[in-house]
Amino acid sequence: MRRPKIRELKEVIKSLFGRAYTSDFPRKPHTPYERFRGRPYFHEEDCLGCTACAQVCPAKAIEVSDQVAAGAIKRKLTVHWDICIFCGQCEASCPTLKGIMLSREFDLATTEKRQDLKQVIEKEFVICEYCGEPILPYDQYVWVAKRLGALTFTNASLLLFYLRSAGLALKERFLAGNKQAALNRSTRLKILCPRCRREAVIKS
Ligand code: SF4
Ligand code: SF4
């Protein structure tokens, strides 16, 4: 029989009489270390509604659905905590790095139904003022305009959107689509989707 090494024997005796390496949870609250990957949460004010997180999620734990409600088009983003594998890909791929962030919550035991283990947020769309199709979520449009800075002036829809936000043009967030009217030169002074803008430029 091989004799145990002295070093290992010392460790065994030390651990028998020393402090336990594990925490006393659930008898005492446990604070995980700083970079622990726990339950992810959307932070609505920093989320653009771009869906990058949903596209990279390997477990398909983030669901995206676009819905028409009360005359507006809204994007619903849902993170399902019962499917999430806490990999952190969503946080790493978020353009704002703060739209979805992993918390340090590790205690996920609950008596709730599985389908209730989720967080839902909604983002309103900017719609094309000619055809009524959604262009981008409102917050993403603002973010793009800010990132472009002076280059915003090269895009008529973004420029108009920017002027309206600054109170220098019509105050409405967007106008209802009016596909009955013909595309003409004046249509170019509306917020348009890329397809309608191309058509308006060609036809005017
Ligand atoms: S959390 Fe980030 S990546 Fe996901 S939709 Fe919001 S802005 Fe986009
Ligand atoms: S942590 Fe990973 S599995 Fe969970 S929602 Fe984010 S990308 Fe998906």
Side-chain angles (χ1 to χ4, degrees), residues 40 57-59 61-62 79 84-90 102:
C57 176
I62 299 176
V79 56
C84 175
I85 55 170
F86 315 107
C87 63
Q89 287 301 309
C90 49
L102 271 65

Side-chain angles (χ1 to χ4, degrees), residues 23-44:
S23 74
D24 260 352
F25 183 83
R27 269 177 291 170
K28 286 183 190 166
H30 171 69
T31 310
Y33 66 95
E34 209 177 301
R35 295 179 65 195
F36 181 85
R37 297 198 302 247
R39 191 197 305 246
Y41 281 98
F42 280 118
H43 296 267
E44 202 164 351

Side-chain angles (χ1 to χ4, degrees), residues 38-44 79 81 90-91 98-105 108 118-119 121:
R39 191 197 305 246
Y41 281 98
F42 280 118
H43 296 267
E44 202 164 351
V79 56
W81 294 318
C90 49
E91 184 181 316
K98 291 187 280 184
I100 187 164
M101 288 166 86
L102 271 65
S103 66
R104 287 197 282 169
E105 283 178 26
L108 306 177
K118 64 185 177 190
Q119 185 199 4
I121 59 165

Side-chain angles (χ1 to χ4, degrees), residues 75-171:
R75 171 163 285 168
K76 199 164 106 178
L77 294 138
T78 310
V79 56
H80 295 276
W81 294 318
D82 57 323
I83 302 175
C84 175
I85 55 170
F86 315 107
C87 63
Q89 287 301 309
C90 49
E91 184 181 316
S93 308
C94 178
T96 67
L97 296 175
K98 291 187 280 184
I100 187 164
M101 288 166 86
L102 271 65
S103 66
R104 287 197 282 169
E105 283 178 26
F106 64 92
D107 182 15
L108 306 177
T110 176
T111 51
E112 278 180 56
K113 285 187 198 145
R114 194 176 169 166
Q115 56 269 33
D116 294 335
L117 294 173
K118 64 185 177 190
Q119 185 199 4
V120 184
I121 59 165
E122 284 186 338
K123 293 279 152 183
E124 194 176 339
F125 266 99
V126 174
I127 61 169
C128 173
E129 290 175 350
Y130 183 71
C131 70
E133 289 294 316
I135 304 177
L136 276 181
Y138 182 84
D139 292 339
Q140 194 177 358
Y141 220 62
V142 173
W143 186 78
V144 170
K146 277 191 190 153
R147 297 273 293 191
L148 284 177
L151 286 176
T152 301
F153 290 79
T154 61
N155 181 301
S157 294
L158 267 178
L159 174 61
L160 191 57
F161 181 79
Y162 181 80
L163 291 175
R164 282 188 198 172
S165 313
L168 299 170
L170 281 177
K171 275 199 178 147

Side-chain angles (χ1 to χ4, degrees), residues 176-191:
N178 180 12
K179 219 172 172 180
Q180 266 69 43
L183 273 169
N184 54 33
R185 200 173 179 82
S186 66
T187 322
R188 289 167 64 177
L189 295 174
K190 290 180 186 292
I191 293 176

